[in-house]
């Protein structure tokens, strides 16, 4: 079974600065997807960024980028030019790519990291 | 469209009571899932469905039942509520397999308290 670990329960950053959230995972699979989700106080889960394991290029979405180290099974999220609206709980998640049949749609989540942004 | 909707937003039950959490999506998604979120544990998968009439168990299925009679709806039933089921419940949906279509969309959540 896959596991996802976020070792930073809380992080803080000054507005306009850069912060990196860590995520490691354990899997015996070679092909999979990794995600970062944002959960603001409204509790809605919002997809931030998505990485396909077979792609070596790190995914980027505006101010959000990842550092994907497949051999180290590490998937960190970098938020540049932090804004007050970035304050939220962030979850790292894993999904198998080669799963067939009914195994699609199964996400494994980490414990989450609470990000505070100081003005 | 409304995306993924969940009702109710809040619910308080007594131990032993049963209830159904509703989830609906209007995006014609094949895949739907139920998760529970507990402090310090992230989200854990309860049950999921890959289409009408097809469901399967996730990581923590005990005490919950699901069915999927239509593409749009995926209700979660608590058979006999227990305090251990106090949690926030999220429903999610996605188109299905494929590099651009399997991103999951989450509902706003239901906060359930069992006394």
């Amino acid at each position: 079974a896959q596991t996802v670990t976020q070792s930073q329960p809380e992080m803080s950053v000054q507005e306009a600065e850069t912060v990196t959230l860590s995520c490691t995972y354990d899997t015996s699979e070679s092909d999979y997807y990794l995600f970062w989700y944002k959960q603001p106080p409204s509790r809605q889960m919002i997809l931030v960024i998505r990485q396909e394991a077979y792609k070596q290029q790190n995914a980027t979405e505006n101010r959000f980028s990842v550092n994907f180290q497949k051999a180290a099974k590490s998937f960190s999220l970098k938020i540049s030019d932090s804004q007050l609206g970035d304050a939220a709980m962030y979850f790292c998640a894993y999904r198998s790519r080669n799963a067939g049949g009914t195994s699609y749609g199964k996400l494994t989540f980490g414990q989450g990291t609470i990000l505070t942004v100081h003005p | 469209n409304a995306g993924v909707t969940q009702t109710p937003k809040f619910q308080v039950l007594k131990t032993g009571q049963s209830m159904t959490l509703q989830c609906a999506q209007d995006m014609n998604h094949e895949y739907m899932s139920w998760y529970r979120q507990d402090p310090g544990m992230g989200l854990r998968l309860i049950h999921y469905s890959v289409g009408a009439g097809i469901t399967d168990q996730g990581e923590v299925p005990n005490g919950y039942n699901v069915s999927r009679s239509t593409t749009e709806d995926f209700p979660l039933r608590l058979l006999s509520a227990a305090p251990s089921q106090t949690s926030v419940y999220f429903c999610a949906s996605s188109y299905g397999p494929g590099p651009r279509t399997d991103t999951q969309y989450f509902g706003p959540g239901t906060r359930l308290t069992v006394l």
Side-chain angles (χ1 to χ4, degrees):
Chain A
Q2 295 80 26
T3 59
V4 178
T5 302
Q6 294 177 249
S7 58
Q8 305 157 317
E10 297 184 28
M11 292 286 285
S12 64
V13 63
Q14 290 293 131
E15 198 174 4
E17 298 291 308
T18 296
V19 65
T20 298
L21 308 184
S22 300
C23 172
T24 59
Y25 58 95
D26 188 25
T27 183
S28 59
E29 299 173 333
S30 60
D31 210 359
Y32 45 86
Y33 296 116
L34 295 165
F35 305 86
W36 277 98
Y37 280 91
K38 171 185 177 181
Q39 186 182 42
S42 65
R43 295 207 314 261
Q44 178 74 304
M45 295 286 284
I46 303 166
L47 178 67
V48 174
I49 200 164
R50 178 180 184 278
Q51 174 77 42
E52 298 165 40
Y54 63 91
K55 290 186 177 180
Q56 294 189 354
Q57 185 175 2
N58 290 326
T60 61
E61 288 288 341
N62 300 315
R63 296 183 295 108
F64 298 88
S65 62
V66 298
N67 183 5
F68 173 49
Q69 301 290 329
K70 190 172 184 179
K73 295 180 183 176
S74 171
F75 182 61
S76 61
L77 175 69
K78 185 172 80 172
I79 306 174
S80 304
D81 187 24
S82 296
Q83 301 175 359
L84 295 177
D86 294 333
M89 173 88 85
Y90 286 81
F91 290 97
C92 179
Y94 172 104
R95 189 180 78 71
S96 299
R97 181 168 189 260
N98 291 326
T102 60
S103 295
Y104 280 106
K106 295 177 66 174
L107 284 172
T108 301
F109 284 87
Q111 302 90 329
T113 297
I114 298 173
L115 177 65
T116 302
V117 181
H118 299 288
Chain B
N1 56 37
V4 180
T5 58
Q6 291 183 237
T7 56
K9 291 187 178 180
F10 301 94
Q11 182 70 50
V12 178
L13 294 177
K14 295 181 179 179
T15 297
Q17 287 185 315
S18 63
M19 79 158 296
T20 299
L21 306 184
Q22 301 292 343
C23 174
Q25 51 87 14
D26 60 359
M27 297 174 281
N28 200 32
H29 286 173
E30 287 296 313
Y31 296 150
M32 297 186 74
S33 309
W34 275 103
Y35 295 86
R36 59 177 289 173
Q37 182 179 18
D38 301 295
M41 301 188 72
L43 281 77
R44 292 181 293 168
L45 182 65
I46 304 171
H47 285 285
Y48 61 102
S49 168
V50 299
I54 306 171
T55 63
D56 204 350
Q57 295 182 350
E59 183 183 354
V60 288
N62 292 340
Y64 307 95
N65 271 0
V66 293
S67 60
R68 183 99 179 268
S69 56
T70 68
T71 299
E72 294 78 19
D73 300 298
F74 190 43
L76 178 71
R77 298 182 188 83
L78 279 71
L79 309 174
S80 178
S84 61
Q85 293 178 305
T86 294
S87 188
V88 180
Y89 291 84
F90 286 95
C91 179
S93 72
S94 67
Y95 284 106
R100 299 297 177 191
T101 60
D102 70 344
T103 300
Q104 295 205 17
Y105 297 81
F106 283 80
T110 295
R111 182 177 294 277
L112 175 67
T113 302
V114 182
L115 303 175

